[in-house]
Every structure is written in C-alpha cells, then in structure tokens.
Amino acid sequence: MILFFFGEDAFRLKEKRLALKNTFFEKNPGSTGFFEFDFSDGAEVGALAECLSQRGLFVSKKFVIASGIFEAPIEMRRELAEFLDVNSTELSADENRILLLCQNGQPKKVEKLWKTLSKKEIKTQEFEALGEPMLLRWLDESVKRAGASGMELSAKKALIDICREAPKRSGGKPNTNMFQLDTEVKKLAAYRTKDMVREVDVHALSPKAANEETVFQALDLLFSGKRRDAALLFSRLAEGGESLGLLGMCAWQLRNIVRTKGALTDGQIRNASDTAKLLGMHPFAAGKCFHIASQFSLSALEKSFSLLARLDREAKSGDRDPEGALLAFVMGMR
C-alpha cells in the first residue's frame, strides 16, 4: 500500500501520521518492521528501495515513512519518481508493505514526482489549512479530549486570533499555528478541568495575549512620537529572546491597522464593531486597530508598515540581527 500525505496543515498531517504508526504497533506489537527516511536530511532512494525489497521469515509486515520528499535534490526526486513508476503497482497491492510518503506544504505540481504520485493506485490525502468553522469544531473536540467540559464561542475565537500568523506569501490568507493552538488548548483544559473554558481564561493564560496588548501600546506610543517609551516596552517584551517573533507580531498588527485605516477612509467602517465584522478580527484586536487608525494618517501608517515589513524580512533571512531590526524600526519612526 502506498499513501501520500501533503498540505499546509503540518500539525494534522503529523497527527494522522502518528495515528497510523500507533495502529501499526498495536496490530504488530514488538515489530521490527518500522522504518523512517527523511529526504530533507539526506536520505537516499537506494536505501528506501532496499528496505522495501527486503523480505524475511520474521518480518512479515513493514511500515516505511519517507518524509520531506520534495525537499530532496532534484536528481533524488527524479530517482524517487522512477522507483515509484516501476514499483507502485506491486507495492500498492501489497497489504504487508505500507509506504507513507509525506510533504509539508504544497509540492511542485509541475514535477515528474508529483505526476507519479497522482497515479490512481496511490492513496492521496491533502491536509488543507482549516477555515474558522472547521477550527471551531476542532477546538470543541480537542478541549473535551483534553479534560474540559467545553469552550465558550468567544474564547474559541479569541484563541484562534491569538494563534493566527501572517500569510506566508504576499496576498495569501492568514495562517493558524496549529501546534501553538494545540498547546494552548491543553493548558486551558488543565486549568478548567471538567469545567467550561472562558474568554477571560484565554487572555489570562496566554503570554501572547498579554504581548499583543503591549504591542498595541508600543505602536500607539511610536505614532505619538514617544520613541523612548516604546523602546522600553519592546525591550521588556524581547527579554526572552523573542525579538524575531515580536517583529512578526508588530508587522501583523500594523498591517491590520493599515487595513482598518483604509476601510475607515473609504467609509466602510465607523467603529470597532464594524472593523471586527468587515475584517474578520477579534473584537479586542479590532478595538485597538480602530483606535490607532483613527489617530494617524494612512500615508504615515503605510510608510511605517513598509519599513517594518522590510526589517522583518531582513531579520528572517539573516541579513539583520532581530534585536537590531527592532531598534531600527523604533528609531526609524517619525
């Protein structure tokens, strides 16, 4: 049997992969037939092929995972495609040999390897990023599984907002950090064992929630010309070595402020409630964005966002030290 998992939701992909592994060992306790190959870390097709071809009296079933297959060098990807072209029919029909191929993110669909993996005998599953309705259902199930009785709708929306990240590419949709979401759910469920998780719990227990409010405070100070006070706030937040994450949070919130200002200028919104509905933001963030957007010009906000976006890219690429980028942002504000 050949399975191919891919998609933007690396967390759910990992969960499904782990579930299959656990099922294999439940059905085959003490088995020596489990193998893993990471092609992003130098695994080779020859070793994978040899592992799959070995048959012995004492290894009746095999479960082989090959991850990062589209992160291997192009020659290795072509070699893997050729191996699958030759062997996919035989492997797919063999219930005693399971080959699971994994790739986080979207593979390059113009490649030969993708076309090979699209064969009908290969069972494919895409793990798409969950939209809000599916995320809300996922939270309902996860919080109960973790020990709480449930979670208020406002608490779920607040938590999703806290775990939201900036789009990976320009023009893309915001992403939800599912790994962080899972960690926060378990923490909240432990706090409210057999009880309902409330929005106040989310804001009380999430460090990012506290950081988010401080980021808005710092941005407000910056636009008011109080750079020294803003620098002190940022310095306190960055004490744990989180300057890179702080840059990303600032860029995300400043982008939301620019969007809010644009909507305000166009007459699409009149208050924070309108902002939350139009832009799909949590009321807390919408209120902060509306307050800052109401105080400053669109040109000033756009100029600051452009500066911060550039500094954030430079810090993430290693061209600039994150702490230095944060300081350059503070000092570059006018």
Side-chain angles (χ1 to χ4, degrees):
M1 180 189 301
I2 302 179
L3 307 171
F4 173 42
F5 292 171
F6 73 97
E8 298 294 341
D9 195 336
F11 175 80
R12 288 193 302 124
L13 191 157
K14 182 181 178 182
E15 276 197 326
K16 183 63 177 288
R17 168 177 163 168
L18 181 59
L20 289 177
K21 179 179 175 180
N22 290 339
T23 299
F24 174 79
F25 280 109
E26 285 172 8
K27 293 182 177 179
N28 306 277
S31 175
T32 58
F34 177 75
F35 303 89
E36 287 189 272
F37 296 87
D38 186 351
F39 280 83
S40 68
D41 194 32
E44 297 184 353
V45 175
L48 175 67
E50 183 179 359
C51 175
L52 287 165
S53 67
Q54 289 176 350
R55 297 185 185 183
L57 182 63
F58 302 106
V59 184
S60 57
K61 293 184 179 290
K62 283 187 178 181
F63 183 24
V64 181
I65 298 178
S67 59
I69 56 176
F70 281 87
E71 296 169 51
I74 184 63
E75 297 80 7
M76 193 67 68
R77 301 200 295 272
R78 289 171 180 161
E79 187 180 345
L80 179 58
E82 291 170 3
F83 169 76
L84 292 172
D85 282 336
V86 173
N87 296 281
S88 62
T89 301
E90 178 189 350
L91 286 171
S92 296
D94 189 349
E95 294 294 329
N96 290 324
R97 287 183 292 171
I98 302 172
L99 172 60
L100 171 58
L101 301 152
C102 301
Q103 179 61 51
N104 291 334
Q106 288 293 333
K108 298 176 181 178
K109 298 184 179 181
V110 296
E111 281 197 23
K112 175 177 173 56
L113 179 55
W114 169 260
K115 295 175 182 177
T116 296
L117 291 167
S118 301
K119 289 183 175 182
K120 62 180 181 180
E121 64 261 29
I122 297 177
K123 299 178 180 179
T124 301
Q125 182 173 355
E126 180 177 2
F127 293 82
E128 296 179 304
L130 296 178
E132 186 170 289
M134 291 296 291
L135 273 175
L136 293 175
R137 285 197 286 273
W138 183 90
L139 280 170
D140 279 331
E141 296 169 2
S142 297
V143 76
K144 290 176 182 177
R145 193 164 55 242
S149 65
M151 195 172 193
E152 290 179 347
L153 178 60
S154 61
K156 287 184 282 189
K157 290 192 173 184
L159 189 57
I160 290 171
D161 194 61
I162 286 167
C163 296
R164 189 171 287 146
E165 297 177 331
K168 294 180 179 177
R169 52 187 176 274
S170 178
K173 295 181 179 179
N175 307 292
T176 301
N177 186 330
M178 293 296 293
F179 291 93
Q180 181 189 2
L181 193 63
D182 179 62
T183 298
E184 295 296 330
V185 164
K186 290 174 180 174
K187 180 168 62 178
L188 288 162
Y191 179 68
R192 288 289 184 189
T193 303
K194 298 181 180 180
D195 200 355
M196 181 71 69
V197 175
R198 300 169 176 80
E199 183 177 359
V200 65
D201 302 327
V202 173
H203 291 298
L205 296 184
S206 173
K208 188 173 179 180
N211 287 357
E212 184 176 47
E213 183 167 7
T214 310
V215 164
F216 279 122
Q217 291 173 2
L219 291 174
D220 204 357
L221 287 168
L222 279 174
F223 285 110
S224 300
K226 301 175 182 177
R227 290 200 295 267
R228 181 177 177 277
D229 292 336
L232 288 173
L233 271 178
F234 280 132
S235 176
R236 193 180 74 212
L237 282 172
E239 284 177 356
E242 296 296 328
S243 295
L244 191 58
L246 193 56
L247 275 169
M249 189 186 298
C250 287
W252 170 243
Q253 299 301 2
L254 190 48
R255 177 178 177 273
N256 285 334
I257 292 168
V258 171
R259 292 171 65 208
T260 301
K261 184 64 179 183
L264 184 60
T265 302
D266 294 342
Q268 295 177 281
I269 58 174
R270 293 173 297 174
N271 50 45
S273 179
D274 290 345
T275 304
K277 292 176 183 177
L278 180 66
L279 302 181
M281 297 168 64
H282 186 267
F284 168 78
K288 296 294 184 180
C289 287
F290 186 83
H291 169 72
I292 296 176
S294 301
Q295 307 298 313
F296 306 101
S297 69
L298 181 59
S299 60
L301 293 170
E302 288 179 334
K303 182 179 178 181
S304 299
F305 176 70
S306 296
L307 169 64
L308 182 55
R310 176 174 60 80
L311 292 168
D312 185 45
R313 286 195 302 271
E314 291 175 357
K316 288 177 178 175
S317 66
D319 293 335
R320 187 187 286 263
D321 177 75
E323 288 79 9
L326 193 58
L327 178 60
F329 170 59
V330 173
M331 300 312 296
M333 294 286 288
R334 294 288 184 269

